[in-house]
């Protein structure tokens, strides 16, 4: 049978419910799903599940207490702000590449330090623990697509999430608006004109931020 959002969500929940390690179970189920289904079929199902004109923060295709599924369409050369999730994440890369730069809080608690960089290529699945702090980049010049799966309800944890300033690593409350601003700031600091143009095309609301910062 073909890939469906509901079918994947039900299968994921069953795999996690029967497992001692929910994160590993979700990662393995996502890997199995990507091996068994054609990538084009998965992308078609995800595209059909999002409203036309949806921006990056509106691409949630399933949300429940156990699982959130987000269709990650990452514009060319995008660099995101530094953020956390407060729930574990498993990312199935459908096409293109996605790089995750992972941080940890410094020993004195006053900032962050970079600890590793992981790049997922098409067909690969990566995962991040509950307490992960990271930012993402699309190193390529084409849109990258991925199925981001989280072990909880994003809506329920939104008030618990944090964002960190790229200038001084100061922690602040998370919002998609603040994440967009930090993303623009990082790309400005990097002289990343390709990424800035791509994010304005994907999210027109970023235009005034690019002009103002």
């Amino acid at each position: 049978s073909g890939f469906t959002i509901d079918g994947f969500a039900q299968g994921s929940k069953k795999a996690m419910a029967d497992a001692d390690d929910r994160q590993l179970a979700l990662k393995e189920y996502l890997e199995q799903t990507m091996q068994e289904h054609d990538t084009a079929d998965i992308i078609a199902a995800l595209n059909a599940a999002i409203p036309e004109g949806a921006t990056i923060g509106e691409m949630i295709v399933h949300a429940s207490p156990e699982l959130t599924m987000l269709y990650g369409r990452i514009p060319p050369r995008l660099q995101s702000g530094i953020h956390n999730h407060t729930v574990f994440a498993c990312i199935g890369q459908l096409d293109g590449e996605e790089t995750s730069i992972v941080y940890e809080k410094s020993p004195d608690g006053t900032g962050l330090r970079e600890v590793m960089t992981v790049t997922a290529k098409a067909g690969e699945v990566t995962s991040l623990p509950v307490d992960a702090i990271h930012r993402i980049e699309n190193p390529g010049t084409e849109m990258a697509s991925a199925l981001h799966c989280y072990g909880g309800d994003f809506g329920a944890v939104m008030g618990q999430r944090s964002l960190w300033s790229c200038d001084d690593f100061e922690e602040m409350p998370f919002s998609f608006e603040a994440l967009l601003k930090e993303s623009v700031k990082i790309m400005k600091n990097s002289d990343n004109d390709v990424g800035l143009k791509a994010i304005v095309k994907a999210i027109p609301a970023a235009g005034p931020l690019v002009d103002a910062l």
Side-chain angles (χ1 to χ4, degrees):
S1 59
F3 175 89
T4 65
I5 303 292
D6 288 345
F8 178 82
Q10 291 172 13
S12 296
K13 291 175 191 179
K14 184 178 187 307
M16 289 188 288
D18 295 340
D20 293 329
D21 186 332
R22 293 179 66 243
Q23 181 176 344
L24 179 61
L26 180 58
K27 182 175 185 286
E28 290 178 344
Y29 185 74
L30 181 54
E31 288 172 336
Q32 177 186 334
T33 298
M34 290 175 61
Q35 289 167 5
E36 292 178 350
H37 295 279
D38 188 82
T39 299
D41 291 340
I42 298 175
I43 289 175
L46 293 170
N47 275 326
I50 59 171
E52 188 174 347
T55 63
I56 290 171
E58 298 167 335
M59 288 184 154
I60 290 174
V61 297
H62 173 87
S64 62
E66 308 95 336
L67 176 72
T68 296
M69 294 167 57
L70 185 145
Y71 180 28
R73 299 194 73 227
I74 312 302
R77 301 296 306 277
L78 176 126
Q79 296 169 281
S80 83
I82 305 165
H83 61 280
N84 66 5
H85 301 129
T86 75
V87 290
F88 66 78
C90 297
I91 299 98
Q93 197 65 32
L94 299 171
D95 61 22
E97 297 183 2
E98 184 177 310
T99 297
S100 184
I101 298 91
V102 182
Y103 298 82
E104 66 181 9
K105 292 186 177 181
S106 54
D108 62 4
T110 59
L112 300 175
R113 61 184 181 186
E114 189 176 318
V115 289
M116 67 174 172
T117 299
V118 181
T119 297
K121 300 181 185 299
E124 296 179 345
V125 176
T126 56
S127 65
L128 294 165
V130 170
D131 59 353
I133 299 168
H134 80 144
R135 63 181 179 87
I136 62 172
E137 296 184 357
N138 174 356
T141 55
E142 302 293 333
M143 186 78 76
S145 299
L147 175 54
H148 294 217
C149 303
Y150 304 94
D153 182 353
F154 247 16
V157 301
M158 200 60 71
Q160 303 165 31
R161 296 179 64 190
S162 293
L163 189 68
W164 282 263
S165 164
C166 64
D167 297 323
D168 55 12
F169 296 138
E170 181 181 353
E171 187 173 359
M172 65 188 89
F174 180 91
S175 71
F176 282 115
E177 293 78 13
L179 176 63
L180 185 59
K181 184 176 181 179
E182 281 299 312
S183 302
V184 168
K185 196 188 298 182
I186 283 177
M187 288 187 281
K188 281 261 190 178
N189 291 348
S190 304
D191 293 323
N192 181 0
D193 290 335
V194 174
L196 289 168
K197 288 176 181 175
I199 200 171
V200 171
K201 183 177 179 181
I203 309 175
L209 288 174
V210 173
D211 295 336
L213 288 175

